[in-house]
Amino acid sequence: MGHSGFDAAGSNALRVAFEQTKPVASTLFQAIPERQSTRGEYDGQPLSRHELELLEKAGTGKGVQVIVLTERKAMETVLEYVVQGNTVQMNDPAFVYELKHWIRFSGGEAVRTGDGLYAASSGNLPAPTWLGSLLFNLFFTQKSENDKYAKHVRSSAGIAIFASENPTPAQWVEVGRCYERFALQSTALGIRNAMLNQPVEVSMLRPQFADFLGIGKRRPDLVVRFGRGPKLPSSLRRPIQAVLV
Ligand SMILES: Cc1cc2nc3c(=O)[nH]c(=O)nc-3n(C[C@H](O)[C@H](O)[C@H](O)COP(=O)(O)O)c2cc1C
């Protein structure tokens, strides 16, 4: 691929220019098949300064800044926002209905649909769909979810927040690219990551969260925890023919 960008005229068209080029097997490229959102507990160990610098560099882009928090006090404050956001979402029946609709309780269901969130990829035991569905209704409670997030944050080496200068589609794409580089760089270093976006998904919390981060008018877009720990089963993908139009 040559280069891509949003139309200079300010429309929301994305232009991609292809050109002949030599393949480059960069470190980030090689990490693509290994990368995953790892929704399990990590080992609680800090990363080295050098590793943190590499992550920060990978996650920084045009108008996009990555704030890396490694101090326990700051991480606990992020956890408070995650818990507040999770509580709002879990009190919203439409949110819970949609979430449940995307969970693939059994391996068979995950393979058949080739999409959604496979229970085992979130560190839960897979179960037949009827049983998984029943267990979800019984055990998916505010307290169990909030306790899970506490363990997730407290076992992480740090939390990265991606913030952008302008709320435009071009910046959304740039934030996504910065996160992708960050995720691939971390994978290349054997570091796992997973998103905790409740503080930016619940609109009431987002400006408060920005205040806590001290980023002025910039907007927090993604919240990502990272650290070392075991890999979990990978999420599946639909076949390429099913997603091409
Ligand atoms: C914009 C965006 C927001 C996301 N937010 C969350 C989140 O809040 N919690 C979470 O567990 N995963 C979140 N994800 C991760 C996706 O669920 C994940 O990428 C998907 O399940 C595919 O799995 P993989 O990353 O392991 O390939 C988000 C992904 C994107 C692109």
Side-chain angles (χ1 to χ4, degrees):
M1 190 162 83
H3 48 269
S4 62
F6 274 86
D7 227 318
S11 77
N12 285 334
L14 184 64
R15 288 183 190 278
V16 182
F18 291 97
E19 63 189 39
Q20 290 288 337
T21 180
K22 278 212 187 92
V24 182
S26 66
T27 313
L28 299 198
F29 176 80
Q30 281 166 336
I32 292 175
E34 269 294 299
R35 185 208 60 79
Q36 67 166 208
S37 301
T38 310
R39 296 186 186 83
E41 274 183 58
Y42 302 158
D43 69 5
Q45 296 303 307
L47 302 186
S48 71
R49 180 91 324 262
H50 179 61
E51 287 170 328
L52 291 170
E53 279 166 12
L54 286 173
L55 292 181
E56 221 171 295
K57 187 161 166 264
T60 304
K62 228 170 135 188
V64 177
Q65 172 196 18
V66 60
I67 300 146
V68 177
L69 305 175
T70 54
E71 296 210 350
R72 292 289 140 186
K73 192 161 168 276
M75 289 168 67
E76 284 296 315
T77 307
V78 176
L79 173 61
E80 280 168 26
Y81 280 103
V82 171
V83 166
Q84 274 192 64
N86 186 55
T87 305
V88 171
Q89 290 179 333
M90 294 215 26
N91 281 322
D92 177 355
F95 180 91
V96 175
Y97 173 83
E98 189 183 355
L99 179 67
K100 189 175 171 187
H101 172 79
W102 282 107
I103 295 179
R104 305 293 172 245
F105 294 102
S106 72
E109 193 189 0
V111 171
R112 195 170 56 252
T113 56
D115 65 13
L117 265 175
Y118 177 33
S121 305
S122 301
N124 296 316
L125 283 178
T129 303
W130 67 267
L131 181 62
S133 178
L134 201 69
L135 293 175
F136 178 93
N137 294 342
L138 282 173
F139 294 111
F140 184 76
T141 63
Q142 242 176 61
K143 184 175 177 332
S144 69
E145 280 300 284
N146 286 335
D147 289 352
K148 179 187 81 181
Y149 286 120
K151 281 192 193 142
H152 285 177
V153 166
R154 289 176 185 151
S155 68
S156 295
I159 298 177
I161 297 111
F162 293 78
S164 58
E165 268 168 21
N166 305 301
T168 60
Q171 285 266 272
W172 300 340
V173 171
E174 182 63 4
V175 169
R177 297 173 84 178
C178 289
Y179 165 67
E180 195 61 30
R181 288 188 202 105
F182 175 98
L184 291 173
Q185 175 65 79
S186 84
T187 305
L189 294 166
I191 299 160
R192 314 272 172 237
N193 80 91
M195 297 207 194
L196 298 168
N197 283 323
Q198 292 86 349
V200 299
E201 282 174 353
V202 174
S203 56
M204 171 193 83
L205 292 177
R206 202 176 198 170
Q208 295 174 28
F209 190 56
D211 265 358
F212 153 67
L213 295 169
I215 55 173
K217 289 248 174 300
R218 276 169 292 167
R219 201 176 77 139
D221 286 317
L222 293 172
V223 184
V224 179
R225 70 186 172 101
F226 56 85
R228 291 201 156 80
K231 262 188 105 169
L232 289 175
S234 294
S235 289
L236 291 151
R237 293 291 187 269
R238 291 182 195 160
I240 191 96
Q241 295 87 334
V243 292
L244 284 179
V245 279

